[in-house]
Amino acid sequence: MTRSKNLAFTTPLKGNLALCDPCDDADLHRIRDLYKFIWVREGRVQLRIDHIPLELHAGELVPLTPHHRLEIPQIDAEVLILAFDSNFYCIFGHDGEVSCSGLLFNGTSELLRLELTEERAAALGRVIDDLRAEYEVADGLREEMLRMQLKRFIILCTRFARERFAVHADREKLFDIVRRYYVLVDEHFRTRKRVQDYAGLLNRSPKTLANLFAAYGQPSPLSIIRDRVNAEARRLLLYTSKSAKEIAYLLGYEDTAAFSRFFAKMNGESITAFRRREKRE
């Protein structure tokens, strides 16, 4: 496999953009805390995301947030990773432009897998080519041109995701409620664990939200909250040395026993058993 020249760009304000094609361990460490698009262009690759195995095939693309911990034990496929941070391009500050928060990027364990047709892959490939070309131009306009190419890539992926959920122009506003719900859960899951809390923030009833999520084939609003809490609990248990009591407090549980019961119900094993098993693997 021929290795393409990787791209790494840092702005004066510490914004970062990286294109790894393919990646090695040093690349993965460097982009660990960035937003990422993982695109398998040829072959298949075995990943571990938050210690959960995932196999991606050629033509599949997965977006990840900085919360997701990515591991690629062995790279024997053509895998392209486009990564960036909020200092380079803030997806929340530019939500009106790209509308990807909550759709492409959210902190739950339910990953969005996009299957790219030849036409879609070609469109993204043109953006990558333009991104590489702009990187070679060393002038004062390069930063903004690179940002524009990243924005194009994000918008295309957002369109592909909307097509997957059959979001037509006349239903964009309804689907936007689903997207905003994910954003609000990411923001408030530590302190708000009831659907009615988010329904109030969205000026909708819990029943309306449940019907809307069912119409788009999404998990129930309550399961999204629980999944987000559980995903954060697993990450804290896997990647920190914090005790169950400390994690319970961070996740908004005053009672450690209540948190332990929640974790066991969600994962089918106790916190102690989970940590012991994961350390062995």
Side-chain angles (χ1 to χ4, degrees):
M1 182 187 305
T2 302
R3 184 183 178 91
S4 301
K5 182 179 179 181
N6 285 355
L7 179 159
F9 183 81
T10 301
T11 73
L13 297 178
K14 306 301 182 182
N16 291 282
L17 174 71
L19 178 65
C20 307
D21 183 19
C23 268
D24 56 25
D25 290 340
D27 293 323
L28 291 177
H29 180 76
R30 180 165 54 89
I31 65 175
R32 184 180 67 180
D33 298 324
L34 277 59
Y35 290 93
K36 291 173 282 290
F37 289 99
I38 318 296
W39 178 13
V40 180
R41 305 183 81 171
E42 289 185 11
R44 63 180 62 185
V45 64
Q46 300 285 342
L47 312 176
R48 283 168 63 86
I49 299 173
D50 294 337
H51 277 220
I52 300 173
L54 174 69
E55 182 177 271
L56 292 181
H57 299 175
E60 287 191 301
L61 182 149
V62 172
L64 300 176
T65 73
H67 301 295
H68 295 99
R69 190 67 61 91
L70 170 67
E71 302 169 67
I72 308 181
Q74 183 177 356
I75 303 176
D76 53 5
E78 186 176 336
V79 181
L80 180 149
I81 301 181
L82 179 61
F84 65 99
D85 62 14
S86 293
N87 284 342
F88 186 82
Y89 188 81
C90 180
I91 61 174
F92 298 102
H94 296 88
D95 188 67
E97 298 177 350
V98 293
S99 301
C100 64
S101 301
L103 175 57
L104 300 182
F105 299 111
N106 65 69
T108 69
S109 62
E110 293 290 331
L111 300 178
L112 176 66
R113 297 175 65 162
L114 296 176
E115 296 183 4
L116 304 179
T117 62
E118 289 186 9
E119 183 180 2
R120 289 175 175 179
L124 292 179
R126 288 191 292 272
V127 177
I128 295 299
D129 290 342
D130 290 344
L131 192 71
R132 291 192 185 280
E134 291 298 339
Y135 182 69
E136 298 299 327
V137 180
D139 65 14
L141 300 174
R142 179 172 62 167
E143 177 183 336
E144 193 56 35
M145 289 297 286
L146 289 173
R147 192 173 287 113
M148 288 173 62
Q149 302 310 323
L150 172 63
K151 178 180 171 181
R152 287 176 59 201
F153 195 96
I154 294 172
I155 289 175
L156 284 172
C157 290
T158 299
R159 283 178 172 171
F160 301 156
R162 287 183 172 186
E163 289 171 9
R164 173 182 168 177
F165 294 115
V167 181
H168 305 298
D170 59 339
R171 303 201 70 191
E172 281 188 10
K173 290 185 177 179
L174 283 176
F175 187 77
D176 196 54
I177 296 172
V178 174
R179 188 178 67 84
R180 288 165 54 205
Y181 184 90
Y182 276 99
V183 173
L184 289 171
V185 170
D186 266 346
E187 184 178 354
H188 298 292
F189 70 91
R190 294 176 181 84
T191 56
R192 299 174 184 265
K193 296 181 172 60
R194 303 180 308 163
V195 174
Q196 49 262 51
D197 295 334
Y198 298 96
L201 293 173
L202 292 167
N203 296 315
R204 296 292 190 279
S205 71
K207 183 177 181 181
T208 296
L209 290 181
N211 292 337
L212 187 58
F213 276 69
Y216 284 108
Q218 295 289 296
S220 72
L222 181 59
S223 68
I224 290 169
I225 300 171
R226 290 175 174 172
D227 179 79
R228 184 64 183 90
V229 175
N230 187 55
E232 194 70 13
R234 289 171 61 96
R235 289 167 190 144
L236 290 168
L237 289 166
L238 288 169
Y239 306 121
T240 75
S241 59
K242 296 183 185 298
S243 67
K245 182 177 181 180
E246 290 173 309
I247 294 172
Y249 175 78
L250 288 172
L251 296 179
Y253 288 89
E254 295 182 2
D255 182 0
T256 306
F259 168 62
S260 298
R261 289 193 296 271
F262 167 80
F263 187 88
K265 182 178 180 180
M266 292 293 294
N267 297 279
E269 59 184 339
S270 69
I271 291 171
T272 302
F274 173 80
R275 256 186 168 160
R276 185 185 301 121
R277 177 177 57 79
E278 291 292 343
K279 285 181 178 180
R280 288 199 307 265
E281 294 182 357

